[in-house]
Amino acid sequence: KAGVTQTPRYLIKTRGQQVTLSCSPISGHRSVSWYQQTPGQGLQFLFEYFSETQRNKGNFPGRFSGRQFSNSRSEMNVSTLELGDSALYLCASSLDGQGPVSTDTQYFGPGTRLTVL
Amino acid sequence: GNSVTQMEGPVTLSEEAFLTINCTYTATGYPSLFWYVQYPGEGLQLLLKATKADDKGSNKGFEATYRKETTSFHLEKGSVQVSDSAVYFCALSSYNFNKFYFGSGTKLNVKP
């Protein structure tokens, strides 16, 4: 079974631009979460989508947005890029995510390394 | 609320040494607990998990036991290898929502 894939793997943008990152979850997984990883802040939760709806949201400004399609693929968008947005953006998928059963394990993609100049 | 606290790194060990990385958590309800590993330049990989109290997760020689009485999930390995050098993250999954809480990560350096 193919793992979580993220495209592109590397991106270089300049301040003020916008960027769209893509994530394809493991087949059959319906929950997709996004994280930002930086050396200073560690792993920070951005948002989670399930059945095309944003179910959970972290503490990031409105410049960070996302969506999920009917095939569970997800995209995140960052508008008006700032230098501090340089980070590794990780996507993770899980089967469902609610309840105590073992469907909540998250499987991560390799990440998209975004550099803002 | 929910949170995870890991020991500060980096941890530097010689090959074949015993490893312990401490992890404690605060949670409401009955979370699942996880250890993830991140090798340089890569995403996170699930190392092991435990879904209820007294469960022991194990994989590739690593072990961790879900201790509800001490709210801990310490990672151990009897004999580390150079190839174990990576950053290790402890995490919990909340009961009602698929929301993960990660610790700050502990970098492990294993010297030959």
Side-chain angles (χ1 to χ4, degrees), chain A residues 6 33-47 58-60 87-92 106 108-111, chain B residues 4 6 35-38 42-45 87-92 100-106:
Chain A
Q6 292 186 246
S33 298
W34 288 89
Y35 296 85
Q36 182 195 65
Q37 186 178 28
T38 59
Q41 299 297 318
L43 270 166
Q44 292 186 284
F45 173 75
L46 279 155
F47 29 65
N59 297 321
F60 278 80
L88 180 67
Y89 290 88
L90 293 166
C91 164
Q106 293 200 345
F108 283 79
Chain B
V4 176
Q6 284 183 241
W35 277 101
Y36 283 85
V37 57
Q38 186 176 34
E42 299 183 12
L44 275 68
Q45 298 176 25
V87 180
Y88 292 82
F89 292 90
C90 184
L92 72 83
F100 262 51
Y101 298 83
F102 282 91
S104 55
T106 302

Side-chain angles (χ1 to χ4, degrees), chain A residues 9 31 33 35 37 43 45 48 55-57 88 90 94 96-100 102 104-110, chain B residues 30 32 34 36 38 41-46 49 51 89 93-104:
Chain A
R9 291 293 310 276
S31 171
S33 298
Y35 296 85
Q37 186 178 28
L43 270 166
F45 173 75
E48 184 239 351
R55 188 163 63 175
N56 287 296
K57 189 178 188 304
L88 180 67
L90 293 166
S94 64
D96 187 333
Q98 286 196 348
S102 59
D104 57 355
T105 301
Q106 293 200 345
Y107 296 88
F108 283 79
Chain B
Y30 304 94
S32 297
F34 305 81
Y36 283 85
Q38 186 176 34
E42 299 183 12
L44 275 68
Q45 298 176 25
L46 177 66
K49 65 180 283 190
T51 57
F89 292 90
S93 172
S94 60
Y95 178 87
N96 289 321
F97 303 99
N98 189 23
K99 197 167 182 180
F100 262 51
Y101 298 83
F102 282 91
S104 55

